Amino acid sequence: MPFCYRQAMPDLRAPLRLRPDPDGTSVEYRWIPFDRADPRWNEPLVDLAAEGLLTEAWYARTDGGNAPYFMPIAGAVKTVAARASVARLVREADAAVAHLGLRLKVLDAYRPIETQAGLWTFFEQQVAAERPELSAAEQEGIVRTFVSDPRRFDREDETTWPIHSTGGSVDVVLVDAASGAMLDHGAGFDEAHERSYTDHYERLLQRGEIAADDTRLVNRRILVNAMVNVGFTNYAYEFWHFDWGTQAHILTLQDEGQAGAPQAAWYGTTDLPEGLP
Ligand SMILES: C[C@@H](N)C(=O)N[C@H](C)C(=O)O
């Protein structure tokens, strides 16, 4: 049974947790240890589409429709794959939004290092072009907020493993079940802007700048509450990013001060099995 405060009938429209440090950026998870004795350590990656989930391999798209990239990212895989238990939990979250006429759609999960490097380069170039007044260190701080750093990756060094290379991280959005159209979450997927911070619209509501029924606020609440209720943690700077079993998952549980939370991650870096393109 995964560690979580699962509610039988969660209020999917409940307000979201606010980041404790609204000025902080990015999360340093690499010092969280791994438990290689955990039975889930060797759990296989599975194709999420074959598991009945809606998927769209955003980074592999060749039709130019994958903003903010508008082109495929190097090494992107066509299969949206995640660890078997992660697939099961996403299915549970998907079922929890069905009564609202909604589905979850997974845009990325397991990610090869080459793709992680391609994303890092994209954000480096974007931030440099948009924020030339910032120092190189300040620019890197923004890049780190939106992408895990792949540059020191070493299979033998567990402090260098980007979370998406473990199959325990998933990037998820809500879509209308009938039309398949992506809902308005108030920011685009992978949009490097404060609008993407999960609590952005909660803060606007607190300041009286939006109404309590604002679609962007409500959609974001439904997505995050559905995923968190089955055991995922959300990355505070990306409304779409969720973890289970990764170093970021453990770090977030610790930051939230959850008593009895696991102390070590159970998914390490892995490879796509042969047969999954
Ligand atoms: C690039 C974005 N979709 C993402 O996955 N960011 C997280 C923080 C990561 O790269 O680990």
Side-chain angles (χ1 to χ4, degrees):
M1 177 66 185
F3 169 86
C4 68
Y5 296 117
R6 189 188 294 251
Q7 296 170 22
M9 294 284 286
D11 177 5
L12 295 180
R13 293 189 173 82
L16 302 178
R17 181 190 293 270
L18 297 180
R19 274 170 297 130
D21 172 13
D23 298 322
T25 49
S26 89
V27 172
E28 185 57 271
Y29 57 74
R30 62 196 171 115
W31 302 114
I32 297 289
F34 288 92
D35 178 4
R36 290 171 167 76
D38 190 295
R40 295 165 293 195
W41 178 259
N42 286 318
E43 202 174 50
L45 292 174
V46 296
D47 176 352
L48 297 185
E51 296 289 313
L53 289 160
L54 296 180
T55 63
E56 184 166 23
W58 200 255
Y59 302 131
R61 276 178 70 161
T62 54
D63 62 356
N66 56 339
Y69 309 102
F70 305 106
M71 60 181 182
I73 304 295
V77 287
K78 295 190 178 71
T79 306
V80 181
R83 301 284 188 152
S85 297
V86 171
R88 178 176 49 78
L89 293 174
V90 179
R91 276 207 314 270
E92 286 182 32
D94 190 36
V97 301
H99 70 287
L100 300 172
L102 301 174
R103 295 283 316 263
L104 299 180
K105 185 180 237 187
V106 187
L107 300 184
D108 191 50
Y110 169 76
R111 186 183 298 161
I113 291 300
E114 189 185 356
T115 311
Q116 191 72 32
L119 292 172
W120 179 271
T121 303
F122 174 88
F123 281 99
E124 257 187 341
Q125 291 171 350
Q126 186 186 57
V127 173
E130 289 178 359
R131 305 297 303 275
E133 77 282 8
L134 298 182
S135 68
E138 287 168 331
Q139 289 178 356
E140 186 172 309
I142 298 176
V143 176
R144 281 182 187 284
T145 301
F146 293 100
V147 204
S148 292
D149 188 350
R151 294 174 297 178
R152 289 179 52 248
F153 177 74
D154 175 354
R155 204 172 280 277
E156 304 306 317
D157 179 354
E158 65 186 35
T159 70
T160 68
W161 297 346
I163 40 182
H164 269 281
S165 79
T166 72
S169 299
V170 282
D171 291 339
V172 185
V173 294
L174 284 174
V175 298
D176 181 272
S179 69
M182 199 185 296
L183 266 53
D184 181 3
H185 299 82
F189 173 58
D190 278 3
E191 188 179 340
H193 191 279
E194 287 180 12
R195 279 189 293 273
S196 296
Y197 296 1
T198 304
D199 66 2
H200 180 72
Y201 290 95
E202 300 288 344
R203 292 182 189 278
L204 294 191
L205 178 66
Q206 277 192 343
R207 297 203 296 265
E209 294 175 28
I210 60 170
D213 63 352
D214 188 288
T215 309
R216 301 163 297 180
L217 173 82
V218 174
N219 289 344
R220 218 174 259 205
R221 285 181 175 180
I222 294 169
L223 170 65
V224 175
N225 284 322
M227 292 291 284
V228 168
N229 189 57
V230 299
F232 287 99
T233 50
N234 168 251
Y235 176 50
Y237 300 97
E238 297 178 348
F239 69 84
W240 58 80
H241 179 105
F242 299 89
D243 286 279
W244 194 73
T246 68
Q247 290 170 300
H249 175 66
I250 304 301
L251 181 65
T252 305
L253 292 175
Q254 289 177 359
D255 285 349
E256 291 172 354
Q258 298 212 18
Q263 299 298 307
W266 52 88
Y267 293 139
T269 195
T270 189
D271 296 300
L272 208 58
E274 282 185 29
L276 291 186

